Amino acid sequence: MRYAIIADIHANLEALTAVMEDIKKRGGVERIWCLGDVVDYGPDPHECIELLRQRNHIGVAGNHDLAAIGNIDTTEFHPDAAVASHWTSQQLKITDIEYLRDLPLVIEKDDFTLVHGSPRNPAWEYVISPTIVEENLPYFKSPFCLVGHTHIPFISRYQENGACSFDQFPGDAELALGPNRLILNPGGVGQPRDGDPRASYAIYDSESIMVHLYRVAYDIATTQAKMLKHGLPVNLITRLSYGW
Ligand code: ZN
């Protein structure tokens, strides 16, 4: 079976569409695993939820999904994020709210645990260092854990000496899953933050037991023009050009 691993779509329909086309071009997948933050920041929250609903997928909730339906408070958000969250909540249709409300915080599937932030704190914690990975290992039972939230693709693997490696997962790189436990982030579809503005996602092949990371160019100018039209914060518009 082949699975696409996607995260942090952030209502960016052009990026999500480009990723879906790329998946198709590479022979397709049986199922999509979505690691949360389908909405917020971008201009097409309803359309992105609809596109996902048309695909065979499972997904967990991200902090922005929960904020958009009022399940968490935005007072700790950056002011730009709070503005975008408020705008997003006004765009959602009843079916979108139901979809987001029904997303679990954690999914355990075969050898994988899926969360948005971290196994220890699924909605909020950023996995940004080997120390945080080590602290999170007792919080999931499966060999492998998939996270989003930082919008930066990485692989962190448990080593025999008890420490964890923490490496960037570059575009077109392949990772063979082995006996060592690991936490992997496929990067962000709709708002990459590793200096590469292209959408980021991964495909896992359960036969070869390999994960392949892909970067996909998309029509950033169209997304930005829609955001401008809707009066979304300028910083959120600009950052898409640079991938930060
Ligand atoms: Zn996010």
Side-chain angles (χ1 to χ4, degrees):
M1 291 265 282
R2 279 158 55 84
Y3 304 85
I5 307 167
I6 63 174
D8 296 287
I9 296 161
H10 282 294
N12 187 332
L13 184 64
E14 286 69 36
L16 181 60
T17 304
V19 164
M20 293 299 165
E21 283 168 4
D22 197 70
I23 292 169
K24 197 171 160 195
K25 194 180 86 190
R26 298 183 188 284
V29 294
E30 272 77 30
R31 187 173 249 195
I32 295 167
W33 289 344
C34 179
L35 306 175
D37 279 3
V38 179
V39 301
D40 212 0
Y41 294 146
D44 291 307
H46 168 71
E47 291 75 8
C48 287
I49 291 174
E50 276 299 300
L51 182 52
L52 267 187
R53 285 162 68 105
Q54 291 162 14
R55 301 291 194 280
N56 181 12
H57 79 288
I58 52 173
V60 291
N63 54 322
H64 288 269
D65 301 320
L66 298 171
I69 55 171
N71 279 8
I72 55 171
D73 193 352
T74 56
T75 47
E76 290 191 18
F77 273 27
H78 183 283
D80 284 347
V83 168
S85 181
H86 180 66
W87 180 85
T88 300
S89 62
Q90 293 173 322
Q91 314 307 314
L92 296 177
K93 309 206 184 310
I94 296 287
T95 51
D96 302 331
I97 294 167
E98 287 169 351
Y99 172 84
L100 296 174
R101 192 193 55 203
D102 291 343
L103 293 174
L105 285 173
V106 182
I107 293 176
E108 290 172 309
K109 196 81 195 146
D110 306 325
D111 286 341
F112 294 85
T113 299
L114 281 58
V115 291
H116 178 64
S118 76
R120 175 167 61 183
N121 186 347
W124 283 109
E125 186 176 33
Y126 290 93
V127 179
I128 49 168
S129 70
T131 308
I132 294 174
V133 172
E134 283 163 39
E135 289 170 5
N136 268 281
L137 290 174
Y139 290 85
F140 65 102
K141 295 191 285 279
S142 60
F144 314 120
C145 176
L146 305 174
V147 303
H149 198 37
T150 64
H151 306 199
I152 295 173
F154 72 78
I155 304 158
S156 181
R157 211 189 305 234
Y158 181 74
Q159 311 286 333
E160 276 69 26
N161 64 9
C164 286
S165 62
F166 197 90
D167 300 300
Q168 198 197 349
F169 197 175
D172 263 332
E174 263 195 326
L175 167 75
L177 300 180
N180 293 11
R181 299 183 79 202
L182 62 80
I183 296 184
L184 184 153
N185 188 321
V189 170
Q191 196 199 79
R193 291 181 188 162
D194 62 341
D196 182 342
R198 294 175 299 167
S200 186
Y201 82 101
I203 291 180
Y204 165 59
D205 187 322
S206 64
E207 264 169 46
S208 62
I209 325 180
M210 301 284 280
V211 180
H212 197 126
L213 194 98
Y214 297 103
R215 300 304 291 250
V216 188
Y218 72 94
D219 184 359
I220 295 174
T222 293
T223 309
Q224 290 174 318
K226 289 185 197 172
M227 291 172 77
L228 197 62
K229 193 179 109 200
H230 294 310
L232 286 160
V234 172
N235 274 344
L236 296 178
I237 299 172
T238 310
R239 67 187 306 170
L240 293 180
S241 298
Y242 304 101
W244 53 267

